[in-house]
């Protein structure tokens, strides 16, 4: 399936099966804001629980926090967000559409990359097994020219961004002859910096004094609580603070469904370390976070590291874990070595000491920080991208049919077990099924379903990713056995009612994920 169709399919599936709805849909929606439906909220909660358990429950040296969305406005001055949390924007004067200037340039680079990919494909076809891609890319004159072109554009983009040189960025857009995809014209405004923070006003203070920001990252709530947490939990360095919560950014380009939202949720962990030890911990968290993703079944070909070309103002090293979304490899999670930048700035602007007394070296210092930061919504999109599949399966009558199946890891599935009476209109079956459901619901997220033929009910459970279906039939009434159907293998087995919980628990329990 073409990438674009795959993406459209995924969005449609999310809506049809109650995972994600456009916010305020009855009013034609609010752009880049989404609501999670009944199955969506279960899946998202399971992803958040998995993250929380792997950070807080599995690490004695990481503790949790839930800080407020509103913070003292000086927080954002100290963190650099008031002055530097900007995206370069450009408007097209004919369509009145607004774009991120850097994204226009990145898209131009992607177009050139596509030309390279096309040449490679053609050559692959021509040379068959003999084809050496590396040699081809480095020696073919047209491909080498394209590669050099990309490198030169990347360099100019990086330089103009790090020097905050907006005229240079505009020049790059003009040199690349980039046209507005909407109007087709090149009638651009100058490039301006646009601050991404949403602001609001405190009720009892007028003007600038009362200006509040909706936090653009959860991180700063962790920094300003660093000493409160350290002292109350008596943690010694190195130790971490984890937090899950909403963040808000007034994104200029808000496309790609839940990939880039204006209101989203982050799962962030700040790991406080001795100065000089940050690179050791940076490497540790890079590896640990990659393993976390792979435990969910995400493969080597779906994930990759991407070192930052441009370091943020607070970082001395930074890498993204990128995932292959239906629109290509994009950032899923960031791992940043943030030095002592944030704590030092909060110390400076608040006038309060934010230092740790290290008994081992008998010295006080501002700790260094390694951060892991992932969007819960992006994680959701990655899980759905990986899981949503169409496959050909044998029918009951020996023919073949296609099914849509959501092959989520069983431990994060929104419904863990569905209980289905074979027939709806036989009270003895529905009563027996209700009895099984009422027992299982104490241990698992269960669903009882008696509507439609059994085959259609199986398909519905496949489409929401339920790993197990239990069917109650006439044999159940005689010998207390049921059929258990496994989503991925489609295997059906006859087991005793008392065995259900053990079998289901083995696959849907979080332990298999956490023991990775
Ligand atoms: N505290 C560091 C920080 O916020 P970031 O790279 O700007 O770093 C971290 O964001 C993660 O938050 C990203 O990797 C992404 O998963 C998620 N994220 C950022 N902006 C987002 C948006 N507009 N919509 C959805 N998720 C977003």
């Amino acid at each position: 399936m073409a990438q674009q169709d795959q993406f459209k399919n995924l969005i449609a599936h999310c809506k049809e099966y109650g995972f994600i709805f456009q916010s305020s849909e009855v009013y034609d929606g609010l752009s880049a804001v989404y609501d999670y439906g009944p199955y969506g909220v279960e899946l998202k909660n399971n992803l958040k629980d998995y993250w929380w358990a792997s950070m807080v429950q599995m690490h004695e040296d990481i503790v949790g926090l839930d800080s407020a969305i509103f913070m003292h406005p000086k927080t954002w001055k100290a963190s650099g967000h008031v002055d530097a949390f900007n995206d370069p924007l450009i408007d097209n004067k004919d369509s009145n559409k607004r774009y991120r200037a850097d994204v226009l340039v990145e898209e131009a680079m992607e177009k050139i990359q596509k030309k390279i990919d096309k040449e490679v494909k053609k050559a692959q076809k021509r040379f068959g097994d003999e084809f050496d891609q590396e040699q081809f890319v480095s020696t073919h004159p047209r491909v080498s020219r394209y590669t050099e072109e990309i490198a030169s554009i990347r360099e100019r983009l990086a330089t103009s961004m790090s020097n905050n040189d907006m005229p240079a960025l505009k020049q790059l857009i003009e040199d690349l002859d980039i046209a507005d995809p909407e109007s087709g014209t090149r009638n651009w405004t100058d490039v301006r910096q646009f601050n991404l923070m949403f602001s609001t006003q405190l009720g009892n203070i007028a003007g600038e004094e009362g200006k509040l920001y909706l936090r653009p990252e959860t991180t700063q709530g962790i920094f300003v609580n660093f000493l409160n947490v350290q002292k109350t939990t008596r943690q010694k360095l190195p130790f971490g603070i984890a937090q899950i919560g909403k963040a808000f950014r007034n994104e200029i380009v808000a496309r790609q469904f839940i990939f880039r939202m204006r209101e989203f949720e982050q799962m962030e962990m700040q790991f406080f370390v001795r100065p000089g030890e940050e690179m050791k911990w940076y490497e540790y968290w890079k590896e640990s976070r990659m393993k976390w993703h792979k435990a969910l079944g995400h493969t080597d070909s779906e994930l990759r590291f991407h070192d930052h070309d441009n370091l943020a103002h607070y970082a001395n090293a930074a890498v993204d874990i990128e995932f292959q979304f239906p629109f290509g490899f994009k950032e899923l999670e960031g791992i940043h070595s943030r030095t002592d930048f944030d704590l030092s700035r909060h110390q400076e602007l608040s006038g309060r000491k934010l230092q740790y007394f290290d008994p081992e070296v008998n010295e006080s210092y501002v700790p260094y920080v390694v951060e892991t930061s992932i969007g819960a919504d992006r994680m959701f999109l990655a899980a759905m991208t990986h899981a949503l599949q169409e496959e050909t399966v044998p029918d009951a009558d020996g023919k073949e049919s296609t099914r849509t199946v959501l092959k989520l890891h069983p431990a994060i599935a929104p419904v863990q077990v569905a209980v289905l009476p074979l027939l709806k209109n036989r009270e003895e079956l529905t009563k027996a099924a209700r009895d099984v459901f009422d027992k299982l619901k104490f241990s698992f997220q269960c669903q009882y379903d008696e509507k439609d033929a059994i085959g259609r009910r199986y398909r519905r459970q496949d489409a929401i990713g339920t790993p197990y279906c239990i069917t109650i039939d006439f044999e159940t009434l005689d010998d207390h056995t049921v059929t258990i159907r496994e989503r991925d293998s489609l295997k059906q087995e006859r087991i005793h009612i008392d065995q259900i919980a053990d079998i289901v628990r083995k696959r849907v329990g979080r332990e298999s994920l956490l023991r990775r």
Side-chain angles (χ1 to χ4, degrees):
M1 200 185 298
Q3 280 190 336
Q4 219 173 352
D5 292 341
Q6 187 199 352
F7 194 31
K8 272 193 195 149
N9 215 20
L10 188 152
I11 297 170
H13 192 89
C14 282
K15 172 152 193 216
E16 185 181 348
Y17 287 94
F19 283 88
I20 296 178
F21 308 123
Q22 174 80 59
S23 159
S24 330
E25 200 187 66
V26 291
Y27 294 104
D28 294 333
L30 182 63
S31 151
V33 187
Y34 291 90
D35 299 335
Y36 284 81
Y39 299 118
V41 65
E42 295 291 347
L43 173 55
K44 195 175 179 204
N45 282 343
N46 290 342
L47 287 169
K48 290 192 286 184
D49 286 350
Y50 169 41
W51 185 87
W52 190 264
S54 63
M55 283 294 176
V56 180
Q57 192 180 329
M58 302 306 293
H59 287 94
E60 282 176 55
D61 54 2
I62 299 182
V63 291
L65 180 75
D66 182 14
S67 70
I69 286 172
F70 289 135
M71 298 183 70
H72 194 287
K74 275 192 187 167
T75 309
W76 305 111
K77 187 76 191 157
S79 67
H81 283 84
V82 170
D83 299 315
F85 193 54
N86 301 319
D87 274 344
L89 72 82
I90 189 165
D91 294 338
N92 182 273
K93 292 182 199 163
D94 299 318
S95 67
N96 285 327
K97 284 261 170 195
R98 180 162 280 183
Y99 299 91
R100 256 177 70 176
D102 55 332
V103 171
L104 287 178
V105 174
E106 275 163 16
E107 283 170 355
M109 286 194 281
E110 274 165 29
K111 273 192 194 152
I112 304 172
Q113 181 60 46
K114 276 197 183 129
K115 288 187 196 168
I116 297 178
D117 296 345
K118 213 167 147 191
E119 296 278 0
V120 168
K121 234 185 195 162
K122 246 180 14 196
Q124 232 162 9
K125 229 182 191 171
R126 188 147 37 102
F127 296 114
D129 290 345
E130 313 273 275
F131 183 62
D132 180 340
Q133 185 164 333
E134 218 168 286
Q135 195 195 356
F136 176 79
V137 170
S138 58
T139 54
H140 189 278
R142 214 171 18 244
V143 171
S144 312
R145 209 179 55 242
Y146 291 147
T147 312
E148 276 165 26
E149 224 177 296
I150 293 179
S152 143
I153 299 169
R154 182 167 290 127
E155 164 99 46
R156 283 180 68 184
L157 177 64
T159 314
S160 56
M161 293 290 282
S162 57
N163 294 344
N164 203 8
D165 187 348
M166 296 303 107
L169 191 49
K170 167 91 184 278
Q171 192 58 53
L172 184 53
I173 287 172
E174 284 176 350
D175 292 349
L176 292 171
D177 205 25
I178 295 174
D180 174 13
E182 196 86 5
S183 65
T185 72
R186 291 158 181 81
N187 193 7
W188 297 110
T189 61
D190 286 341
V191 180
R192 283 157 296 145
Q193 289 286 24
F194 174 79
N195 194 285
L196 296 183
M197 282 195 293
F198 282 103
S199 64
T200 184
Q201 195 70 29
L202 264 179
N204 57 350
I205 306 174
E208 272 300 300
E209 288 274 287
K211 192 169 178 181
L212 277 189
Y213 295 101
L214 272 73
R215 66 180 176 197
E217 61 173 9
T218 65
T219 318
Q220 299 303 325
I222 293 179
F223 283 126
V224 298
N225 277 296
F226 156 68
L227 271 189
N228 284 338
V229 174
Q230 189 269 321
K231 285 187 175 148
T232 50
T233 56
R234 295 178 302 141
Q235 287 284 349
K236 286 202 174 102
L237 248 60
F239 83 98
I241 305 178
Q243 163 155 249
I244 298 179
K246 288 266 180 162
F248 304 82
R249 294 183 190 179
N250 199 359
E251 299 283 359
I252 303 165
V253 180
R255 280 180 286 148
Q256 296 165 326
F257 195 38
I258 55 170
F259 180 80
R260 197 175 299 286
M261 301 158 89
R262 297 204 164 104
E263 173 182 341
F264 57 100
E265 217 166 349
Q266 287 187 314
M267 309 191 280
E268 302 202 287
M269 193 279 299
Q270 313 297 128
F271 203 67
F272 299 90
V273 304
R274 250 188 217 161
E277 291 188 357
E278 70 274 15
M279 288 321 288
K280 179 179 90 184
W281 288 108
Y282 175 72
E283 293 302 329
Y284 168 87
W285 283 110
K286 258 178 81 171
E287 193 192 329
S288 169
R289 293 304 302 148
M290 188 56 107
K291 274 192 189 156
W292 185 91
H293 290 283
K294 290 193 175 160
L296 282 172
H298 296 177
T299 58
D300 283 343
S301 61
E302 287 174 314
L303 292 162
R304 71 180 187 196
F305 284 118
H306 177 254
D307 287 315
H308 282 207
D309 297 327
N310 270 326
L311 286 180
H313 57 275
Y314 50 73
N316 67 0
V319 68
D320 290 337
I321 293 179
E322 292 189 336
F323 181 82
Q324 187 159 35
F325 291 102
F327 37 84
F329 269 105
K330 297 274 176 209
E331 175 186 349
L332 170 60
E333 168 157 13
I335 297 144
H336 313 127
S337 172
R338 290 182 78 126
T339 66
D340 58 353
F341 174 84
D342 303 80
L343 286 178
S344 300
R345 289 284 294 160
H346 288 305
Q347 193 169 254
E348 204 180 302
L349 264 77
S350 67
R352 304 266 183 90
K353 275 212 163 16
L354 287 172
Q355 298 191 349
Y356 169 77
F357 176 73
D358 189 335
E360 279 176 38
V361 289
N362 207 21
E363 202 187 300
S364 289
Y365 51 80
V366 177
Y368 270 44
V369 172
V370 175
E371 156 185 82
T372 74
S373 173
I374 178 168
D377 312 273
R378 268 190 208 177
M379 191 55 221
F380 186 108
L381 186 58
M384 290 296 284
T385 305
H386 169 84
L388 187 59
Q389 297 175 20
E390 297 245 312
E391 59 180 23
T392 310
V393 289
D395 259 350
D397 56 11
K399 291 192 192 129
E400 284 191 330
S401 65
T402 38
R403 70 163 177 166
T404 300
V405 55
L406 204 52
K407 289 192 172 173
L408 293 166
H409 190 291
I412 56 165
V415 175
Q416 296 170 319
V417 52
V419 181
L420 319 170
L422 186 63
L423 300 170
K424 176 185 170 183
N425 50 6
R426 293 295 292 261
E427 207 190 325
E428 63 275 41
L429 292 184
T430 54
K431 185 184 170 309
R434 279 267 169 221
D435 287 347
V436 170
F437 174 81
D438 284 339
K439 253 197 223 155
L440 293 177
K441 73 182 180 191
F442 289 96
S443 312
F444 307 106
Q445 183 66 34
C446 297
Q447 190 170 78
Y448 174 86
D449 187 9
E450 59 180 27
K451 197 166 170 279
D452 295 328
I454 193 74
R456 290 188 71 172
R457 277 181 275 165
Y458 283 153
R459 291 289 183 268
R460 204 155 53 222
Q461 294 300 332
D462 286 345
I464 60 166
T466 308
Y468 288 109
C469 289
I470 307 290
T471 307
I472 279 69
D473 55 21
F474 292 103
E475 252 180 276
T476 313
L477 308 177
D478 290 338
D479 61 5
H480 300 286
T481 63
V482 296
T483 301
I484 183 165
R485 173 188 181 270
E486 210 252 339
R487 178 195 67 199
D488 297 347
S489 64
L490 291 169
K491 226 168 77 190
Q492 300 200 15
E493 256 185 288
R494 203 79 205 167
I495 59 167
H496 194 273
I497 283 178
D498 293 344
Q499 291 176 279
I500 303 174
D502 277 349
I503 292 176
V504 175
R505 191 172 293 114
K506 254 189 215 134
R507 295 255 356 249
V508 308
R510 242 195 275 130
E511 203 171 322
S512 66
L513 282 178
L514 298 174
R515 279 192 187 279
R516 65 196 147 92

